[in-house]
């Protein structure tokens, strides 16, 4: 009997950070959860980083991690970022899909931390072959017209998945993994016939379409916000605002 991706081995990754600006904010904590089958014991690895900058009150109110904690128990951000990337690379080599709720946020922030501390990129490094499953994109695809927000808390409530200790990286990663299995099992016709690798490619297309729809809504409502179509990683941009690509010769990119 053929095994569907949602009944096989999955990993899940999440971060807690100093804020929501992927270009400038920093990782404070991270977690990687690996589960070989539904209901099987999960292996959880966690990291606590000293981001090297003060943790704003707003971020601290969300995840509860203080400057005193990271100074006393956290490790240098560069060390943590390197370890996290190696752990994700190991999942890529093992062929395990990695669940990342709202992937363009966590993965882009990790990419910028890699650039900041090590001068390398996530997409061009050992984690380049990562297969990502994003429950936010999957849910929007299978239930496009459902009203309401689609945060992790909202999706867990909708699909009946327990989320204990929200805004803790390990708790969020564990819940996102269970949520993704639940979405796949509920929509086997739409999602089960595809491999995780095929889903990775489809999600980039689905996310772009979803983002265009949101952008159209913003435009009609007069909201100046711009929506990035890229998934699972937003391209870096130089000082002039253009995408940072090899052929782009803007001096601000140097």
């Amino acid at each position: 009997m053929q095994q569907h991706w949602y009944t096989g081995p999955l990993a899940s990754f999440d971060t807690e950070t100093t804020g929501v600006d992927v270009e400038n904010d920093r990782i404070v904590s991270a977690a990687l959860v690996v589960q070989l089958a539904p209901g099987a014991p999960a292996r959880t690895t966690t990291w606590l980083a000293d981001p090297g900058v003060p943790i704003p009150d707003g971020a601290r109110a969300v995840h509860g991690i203080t400057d005193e904690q990271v100074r006393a128990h956290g490790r240098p951000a560069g060390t943590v970022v390197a370890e996290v990337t190696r752990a994700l690379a190991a999942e890529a080599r093992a062929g395990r899909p990695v669940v990342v709720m709202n992937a363009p946020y966590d993965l882009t922030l990790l990419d910028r931390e890699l650039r900041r501390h090590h001068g390398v990129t996530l997409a061009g490094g050992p984690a380049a072959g990562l297969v990502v499953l994003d429950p936010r994109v999957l849910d929007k695809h299978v239930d496009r017209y459902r009203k309401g927000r689609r945060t992790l808390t909202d999706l867990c409530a909708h699909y009946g998945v327990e989320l204990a200790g929200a805004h803790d990286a390990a708790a969020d990663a564990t819940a996102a993994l269970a949520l993704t299995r639940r979405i796949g099992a509920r929509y086997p016709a739409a999602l089960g016939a595809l491999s995780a690798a095929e889903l990775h490619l489809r999600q980039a297309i689905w996310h772009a379409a979803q983002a265009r729809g949101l952008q159209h809504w913003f435009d009609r409502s007069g909201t100046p916000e711009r929506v990035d179509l890229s998934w699972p990683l937003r391209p870096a941009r130089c000082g002039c605002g253009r995408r940072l690509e090899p052929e782009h010769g803007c001096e601000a990119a140097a």
Side-chain angles (χ1 to χ4, degrees):
M1 183 176 179
Q2 183 180 6
Q3 184 182 57
H4 296 296
W5 58 265
Y6 51 85
T7 61
L10 291 179
S12 185
F13 174 66
D14 189 71
T15 65
E16 297 299 330
T17 66
T18 60
V20 297
D21 180 354
V22 296
E23 301 296 339
N24 298 298
D25 278 309
R26 313 296 175 90
I27 291 174
V28 175
S29 68
L32 181 67
V33 176
V34 178
Q35 186 187 47
L36 299 183
R43 181 180 78 249
T44 303
T45 305
T46 61
W47 294 267
L48 182 66
D50 182 348
V53 298
I55 300 172
D57 291 343
R60 187 170 62 250
V62 172
H63 53 59
I65 302 173
T66 67
D67 292 326
E68 291 74 20
Q69 284 177 283
V70 297
R71 289 169 188 158
H73 305 291
R75 292 185 298 143
T79 301
V80 169
V81 166
E83 287 187 7
V84 167
T85 304
R86 286 195 295 269
L88 290 176
E91 297 307 307
R93 290 194 301 272
R96 269 191 294 269
V98 178
V99 172
V100 189
M101 171 71 186
N102 192 18
Y105 172 74
D106 292 86
L107 295 184
T108 302
L109 203 147
L110 176 59
D111 174 79
R112 303 311 191 255
E113 287 275 58
L114 271 173
R115 293 169 184 265
R116 183 177 297 121
H117 293 287
H118 301 287
V120 297
T121 67
L122 185 63
L130 202 64
V131 172
V132 177
L133 297 172
D134 188 336
R136 188 167 183 265
V137 175
L138 296 177
D139 172 69
K140 280 189 174 184
H141 175 69
V142 296
D143 199 354
R144 178 180 177 184
Y145 297 107
R146 188 179 78 249
K147 294 182 179 180
R149 299 184 344 138
R150 302 192 194 223
T151 66
L152 179 61
T153 299
D154 297 319
L155 292 182
C156 285
H158 178 75
Y159 285 95
V161 172
E162 182 182 5
L163 173 55
H167 302 299
D168 170 83
D172 287 356
T174 299
L177 192 154
L179 171 65
T180 302
R181 290 195 189 279
R182 187 69 58 86
I183 294 172
R186 184 172 293 188
Y187 297 97
L191 303 175
L194 300 170
S195 69
E198 290 170 329
L199 269 179
H200 179 100
L201 298 175
R202 296 286 183 93
Q203 285 170 107
I205 298 170
W206 296 341
H207 176 270
Q210 293 162 7
R212 288 190 191 97
L214 180 58
Q215 186 65 69
H216 181 61
W217 186 86
F218 282 149
D219 293 343
R220 284 190 304 163
S221 63
T223 303
E225 187 170 347
R226 308 308 299 173
V227 183
D228 198 307
L229 305 185
S230 304
W231 183 98
L233 181 66
R234 297 175 190 168
R237 298 182 184 275
C238 76
C240 74
R242 293 176 59 191
R243 291 190 177 191
L244 190 56
E245 298 172 345
E247 65 273 14
H248 177 34
C250 177
E251 292 180 0

